[in-house]
Amino acid sequence: MTETTTGTGTRLPKGFRDAARGWPELGRIPHPKGRLPLLGDVRGVNRKTPLQDTVRFGAEIGPVFRRKAFGKEFVFVGGARYAADLADESRFAKYVGLGIANLRPIAGDALFTAYNDEPNWQLAHDVLAPGFSRDAMAAYHPMMLDVAARLTDRWDRAAAAGTPVDVPGDMTKLTLETISRTGFGHDFGSFERSRPHPFVSAMVGTLSYAQRLNGLPFPALHRGAARRNEADMAYLNDTVDALVRARKADGGGDGDLLDRMLDTAHPRTGERLSAENVRRQVITFLVAGHETTSGALSFALHYLSLHPEIAARARAEVDRVWGDAEVPGYEQVARLRYVRRVLDETLRLWPTAPAFSREAREDTVLAGEHPMRRGAWALVLTPMLHRDPEVWGPDAERFDPDRFDAAAVRARPAHTFKPWGTGARACIGRQFALHEATLVLGLLLRRYTLRADPGYELRVTERLTLMPEGLRLGLDRRTAAPARDVEAPSAALDGPPLEDPATPLANRATAAPETPATAPDSHNSPASAPGCPVHRPAD
């Protein structure tokens, strides 16, 4: 375990820190019944579903609880009041631990896995943030349409043959090709393959290995898996190195993310990303840029197939907004307000990045109740936060996109919807993911009627991210209704973007005014991070 120097000159260990060292009154925090000597709270736990099991424990125990496994104590938070306190950037910061730290052998100090004191995080953030500006997003839009056309060609054949489609498999192909084409000018040829691209297999292997280490943190018990993980990491590195070599040999691209990584200096310091850090950033974007979005789309299609009345309402909006245009323009995607609500409600129930950790910058008291020493940390369970009955009501398990209409959003407290993490370290690519997912849902709703398999029960697989397992849907081709034949929805769908009055005034003053359908939810819109050059859509 290494250490880091803080602003006070003292040192905190990096990596896992036992809760017993950071929570002076740990005994006041409840834990599951039936704790076993040495093993801890392992009764009723499936090593393949640790996140879902922990959320279940939290629903039984309370909004703040602890678990012990193999002699190590963890504190979990699922209550909205406590999560809101942890979102205070003046008192808490991102904690890189558990599964994230297990990914550092492959991702190192890239955006997602960097420790807070590592300078490459701010350097990369400031260099890459303009790659997600409004102008950049508009430039990505035609490439997103091209990749989506490859998906619909595949689904058209399935619909004609009457065969169901593998939703998670096809969404993974779609999102991998989208981020690789738009960000790095590379085509993996996913739709021309009968099996997943080896890059996807290697990526799933590294994520699964990191998850496995969480559940059984003894390297000696993972020797075979560790050898496979080394081979997976080597494949990921070799793939990215070849991609970078090809870009340099071509003399540059069209100003995409890879060009920014290779050629752009920091606007103030003139620093550039090192070759090693470029590799780590590319791997991070390729993995995170498709894995979470493919899960979100898969869950959304599952719910739309189960709720034909919601699918019909979303489809009516698509028909009205896009009319008889062959393909939608960039601005037309932003007008799909109800489709965006469907996506938000999906991410509420199944946030595909299902947790984030926060550590205390100094000694403090969580929500006025639980003392924490500097460096103490807690893991926020987003699926539990998004089901807190005090915020979402007694029917929090019910799928209802109207939870995200303007009035409902204004009525909720801040920091209750966190699918992208929180604060300065929140997902830099959320605008990209939201535009891509809204576009794809619109295209699929316009083209197909979805038929659920009546025998299917939702099973969720965990590999640090969440994905529905074994989901297959039947498809019927449809002809989009002419715009004049579709009843216009209520004015609430067409008004200007509405601001959440619970958002702190400081955030309102500095947050970017976003395009309505692709803006981050107002519960999770921090002010621009220090050094971030993107402050307005025109930047």
Side-chain angles (χ1 to χ4, degrees):
M1 183 179 292
T2 58
E3 294 183 333
T4 181
T5 302
T6 67
T8 61
T10 57
R11 291 181 176 273
L12 287 173
K14 291 181 179 178
F16 179 81
R17 303 173 200 154
D18 194 294
R21 299 171 58 182
W23 297 73
E25 299 180 12
L26 185 66
R28 293 177 46 224
I29 299 176
H31 64 77
K33 296 179 181 178
R35 176 172 284 189
L36 300 175
L38 299 179
L39 295 178
D41 304 309
V42 296
R43 288 183 176 177
V45 173
N46 184 332
R47 70 177 182 85
K48 293 183 178 180
T49 56
L51 184 282
Q52 294 165 79
D53 293 337
T54 305
V55 169
R56 176 171 51 81
F57 285 140
E60 298 168 356
I61 299 171
V64 179
F65 64 101
R66 58 189 168 114
R67 285 187 60 197
K68 191 171 188 177
F70 306 107
K72 296 181 177 180
E73 196 93 45
F74 305 79
V75 172
F76 299 92
V77 167
R81 184 163 63 90
Y82 304 94
D85 203 44
L86 288 169
D88 182 350
E89 286 283 286
S90 68
R91 295 163 52 222
F92 297 95
K94 175 172 179 171
Y95 172 65
V96 177
L98 297 174
I100 299 178
N102 292 337
L103 293 173
R104 279 183 62 89
I106 187 65
D109 58 352
L111 282 168
F112 181 59
T113 48
Y115 293 118
N116 293 316
D117 64 319
E118 290 181 310
N120 273 336
W121 176 80
Q122 190 71 62
L123 171 60
H125 181 272
D126 292 354
V127 166
L128 294 173
F132 298 99
S133 68
R134 183 184 181 88
D135 288 345
M137 293 298 305
Y140 301 146
H141 180 75
M143 287 181 275
M144 291 183 179
L145 285 169
D146 288 345
V147 176
R150 294 162 69 181
L151 171 71
T152 54
D153 285 348
R154 184 184 186 91
W155 280 25
D156 284 351
R157 293 193 295 272
T163 58
V165 292
D166 173 6
V167 175
D170 286 345
M171 292 304 106
T172 295
K173 292 177 180 181
L174 170 89
T175 55
L176 176 63
E177 293 300 333
T178 299
I179 186 60
S180 62
R181 284 275 306 278
T182 57
F184 308 103
H186 183 72
D187 192 329
F188 282 97
S190 299
F191 287 104
E192 290 69 49
R193 294 174 173 271
S194 58
R195 303 181 65 181
H197 191 282
F199 185 91
V200 173
S201 300
M203 176 212 71
V204 171
T206 57
L207 293 176
S208 300
Y209 182 73
Q211 177 84 312
R212 181 170 180 167
L213 288 179
N214 284 345
L216 197 61
F218 302 114
L221 300 178
H222 303 288
R223 288 175 182 168
R227 286 193 294 271
R228 290 192 296 274
N229 186 57
E230 290 291 333
D232 289 337
M233 290 194 299
Y235 186 86
L236 295 177
N237 287 334
D238 291 345
T239 300
V240 171
D241 288 347
L243 189 155
V244 173
R245 282 196 303 270
R247 175 61 58 88
K248 290 180 176 178
D250 290 342
D254 297 322
D256 58 14
L257 292 176
L258 182 55
D259 279 347
R260 289 186 178 277
M261 293 179 189
L262 294 174
D263 303 330
T264 304
H266 190 279
R268 290 197 311 274
T269 68
E271 291 179 274
R272 294 177 181 270
L273 298 176
S274 68
E276 181 181 46
N277 190 257
V278 167
R279 173 206 275 173
R280 291 170 170 175
Q281 303 293 359
V282 174
I283 289 175
T284 296
F285 276 99
L286 285 173
V287 173
H290 93 275
E291 175 75 356
T292 52
T293 310
S294 62
L297 283 166
S298 298
F299 282 116
L301 291 167
H302 168 67
Y303 283 115
L304 287 169
S305 73
L306 293 181
H307 299 278
E309 73 286 356
I310 293 175
R313 184 176 169 188
R315 185 177 294 114
E317 180 186 59
V318 175
D319 289 342
R320 179 184 64 83
V321 171
W322 292 0
D324 57 2
E326 185 175 351
V327 294
Y330 174 74
E331 297 293 344
Q332 286 179 297
V333 177
R335 293 175 59 200
L336 296 182
R337 306 292 184 82
Y338 188 72
V339 173
R340 170 63 193 275
R341 292 183 201 174
V342 169
L343 185 61
D344 283 343
E345 177 69 348
T346 299
L347 288 170
R348 182 186 71 84
L349 286 172
W350 293 109
T352 49
F356 58 91
S357 297
R358 302 285 283 173
E359 66 177 347
R361 296 179 184 270
E362 300 294 341
D363 292 355
T364 188
V365 180
L366 178 62
E369 294 181 16
H370 298 288
M372 298 175 68
R373 297 190 181 99
R374 182 175 57 86
W377 64 278
L379 187 70
V380 179
L381 299 172
T382 324
M384 185 176 169
L385 169 65
H386 290 178
R387 289 168 167 81
D388 186 342
E390 292 186 9
V391 174
W392 304 98
D395 63 344
E397 291 286 347
R398 183 171 62 89
F399 184 78
D400 180 9
D402 283 336
R403 296 180 198 275
F404 288 91
D405 71 20
V409 169
R410 284 198 304 269
R412 279 194 294 273
H415 306 299
T416 56
F417 180 60
K418 292 290 187 180
W420 313 102
T422 192
R425 299 292 298 273
C427 175
I428 193 175
R430 59 188 178 271
Q431 297 284 55
F432 182 100
L434 286 169
H435 183 83
E436 177 189 6
T438 305
L439 168 65
V440 170
L441 285 182
L443 290 169
L444 297 180
L445 284 166
R446 188 190 205 191
R447 198 173 188 92
Y448 308 105
T449 299
L450 306 171
R451 287 187 285 105
D453 177 354
Y456 178 75
E457 293 186 10
L458 180 63
R459 302 183 303 278
V460 179
T461 187
E462 301 180 22
R463 52 194 190 211
L464 292 184
T465 60
L466 303 181
M467 179 77 78
E469 181 180 350
L471 173 63
R472 284 170 170 74
L473 296 178
L475 304 172
D476 293 319
R477 275 296 305 270
R478 68 179 291 269
T479 301
R484 63 180 180 275
D485 293 340
V486 180
E487 181 181 351
S490 68
L493 294 182
D494 289 322
L498 296 169
E499 189 169 46
D500 181 359
T503 302
L505 289 176
N507 285 7
R508 296 190 203 177
T510 55
E514 304 287 356
T515 305
T518 56
D521 184 84
S522 56
H523 300 319
N524 191 34
S525 298
S528 295
C532 176
V534 178
H535 302 285
R536 305 178 305 278
D539 288 342

